[in-house]
Amino acid sequence: MKHTILAVLLALACSMPAVAQNRRDRPQTDRHIVYATLDDGTEMKLDLYRPQGINEDTPEADRPKLIVWIHGGAWMMGNRWPCPMTFLTEHGYTVASVSYRFSNVAQYPAQLHDCKAAIRFLRASADQYGYNADRIGVIGASAGGHLAALLGTTGNDPDTEGELGEHLETSSAVHAVYDLFGPTDLEALSAEIPEESGLAAHSPIAMLLGADPRERPDLADAADPVTYLDAEDPPVMIAHGTRDPLVPLAQSEYFAEALEDAGVEHELVIVEGGGHGSRHFHTPEMIAQLIAFFDENLVEAEDDE
């Protein structure tokens, strides 16, 4: 029983298969771009995928908007490559896929600080690579969904910025958040681990926070996107399956209710029969909905300003 529960907890790593692309539509790719360097010399990196023909000479009016992908993996594993969102380059977007420190290296809020440093770097580097970073979208799955949600709700909180990277005066704000079945109430999720199993203190959540959140609810609150909500936060779309065995649907229902109470534009898409990153999230309808969400909040919203 203990091994089964631990396997489930470790399986918070999300598998999001890439949408197939025709060879002629494959993006031009810049890999291993350093967005910040840690005090110990470790280089934090991202990969950039641009539509064909986009470069620093692209006229400003023709530059694609930017969407940032944050991978899952229980905050302790996973990889920015391969990026499952590169198909968005076919729809006029540049896509960045970022790495962040894992919980065995650094505890929260290091992961959020890394993602914010990546956003700041990407915004500061827009002219160099030929995209438009006035309005940035972010999408993440599982643990990445949790970090994407935090990016959305902490945009107005300078205490969450950290001090990583060379662009500390640049905004880390994002303008649209797509959260794929991310955990958002870590204390409640930990409470579902049977106490008699003894695994709560060794769960991915405890590793992220550095303590069992039932004993240190303050740490769980600090990592809860809801803690930072205000009416100025960007629109959020949440997609969650009814058969997710790892992150219960109740996690996204909790987030959606908090967004409603705060007056933040949002939508919760309940995917019937969907598991944790299952094929149900890759249907033409789901992909069209994802593209429409970013089109509305990145492209059309800027046109209306």
Side-chain angles (χ1 to χ4, degrees):
M1 179 63 175
K2 286 186 178 182
H3 295 297
T4 300
I5 296 171
L6 185 57
V8 169
L9 290 170
L10 290 174
L12 275 165
C14 164
S15 174
M16 293 290 295
V19 175
Q21 293 180 272
N22 295 325
R23 183 176 297 275
R24 68 176 180 273
D25 294 324
R26 289 178 182 173
Q28 51 185 355
T29 303
D30 299 279
R31 295 206 60 207
H32 312 301
I33 298 172
V34 177
Y35 70 79
T37 302
L38 303 179
D39 290 341
D40 65 1
T42 299
E43 295 179 332
M44 303 303 299
K45 298 179 181 180
L46 58 82
D47 299 331
L48 198 65
Y49 304 89
R50 293 176 289 168
Q52 290 292 334
I54 296 298
N55 55 52
E56 60 184 1
D57 297 322
T58 301
E60 188 170 346
D62 297 330
R63 292 182 176 184
K65 295 293 191 296
L66 176 67
I67 296 175
V68 177
W69 163 252
I70 306 176
H71 69 81
W75 309 282
M76 63 170 64
M77 53 188 169
N79 205 304
R80 67 179 187 273
W81 185 89
C83 173
M85 296 296 153
T86 58
F87 71 92
L88 288 169
T89 61
E90 298 177 32
H91 300 274
Y93 290 98
T94 288
V95 177
S97 180
V98 306
S99 292
Y100 53 90
R101 279 172 285 178
F102 294 149
S103 57
N104 66 322
V105 173
Q107 292 161 351
Y108 182 86
Q111 295 73 24
L112 177 59
H113 291 170
D114 293 352
C115 291
K116 282 181 171 286
I119 297 291
R120 292 193 296 264
F121 170 88
L122 287 162
R123 180 165 274 123
S125 304
D127 289 341
Q128 178 181 349
Y129 293 101
Y131 53 81
N132 183 327
D134 291 342
R135 299 182 66 85
I136 296 176
V138 61
I139 178 170
S142 193
H146 166 255
L147 294 172
L150 277 166
L151 283 173
T153 63
T154 60
N156 299 323
D157 191 332
D159 292 337
T160 63
E161 287 295 319
E163 298 181 350
L164 183 62
E166 299 179 354
H167 305 285
L168 297 178
E169 301 305 316
T170 302
S171 172
S172 68
V174 298
H175 297 82
V177 175
Y178 199 112
D179 165 20
L180 286 155
F181 41 84
T184 53
D185 185 348
L186 303 187
E187 185 177 4
L189 191 57
S190 288
E192 298 197 12
I193 303 172
E195 191 167 349
E196 62 274 12
S197 72
L199 290 175
H202 307 285
S203 73
I205 297 171
M207 290 185 64
L208 176 72
L209 302 179
D212 185 338
R214 291 177 292 192
E215 298 176 359
R216 290 292 306 276
D218 58 314
L219 296 178
D221 287 345
D224 186 341
V226 170
T227 298
Y228 308 96
L229 270 174
D230 65 57
E232 301 302 314
D233 290 338
V236 178
M237 177 166 281
I238 310 166
H240 208 125
T242 58
R243 295 188 177 181
D244 192 324
L246 305 178
V247 180
L249 175 59
Q251 288 278 310
S252 287
E253 292 174 330
Y254 156 81
F255 189 28
E257 183 177 347
L259 290 164
E260 177 72 24
D261 291 343
V264 177
E265 182 182 340
H266 69 284
E267 181 177 357
L268 171 59
V269 179
I270 297 177
V271 182
E272 290 297 330
H276 199 70
S278 63
R279 59 180 176 78
H280 301 77
F281 294 90
H282 308 286
T283 64
E285 293 78 13
M286 290 294 294
I287 292 172
Q289 189 175 61
L290 183 156
I291 294 167
F293 171 73
F294 284 122
D295 284 350
E296 177 182 356
N297 292 291
L298 300 183
V299 180
E300 297 166 16
E302 184 168 77
D303 292 341
D304 293 339
E305 290 180 347

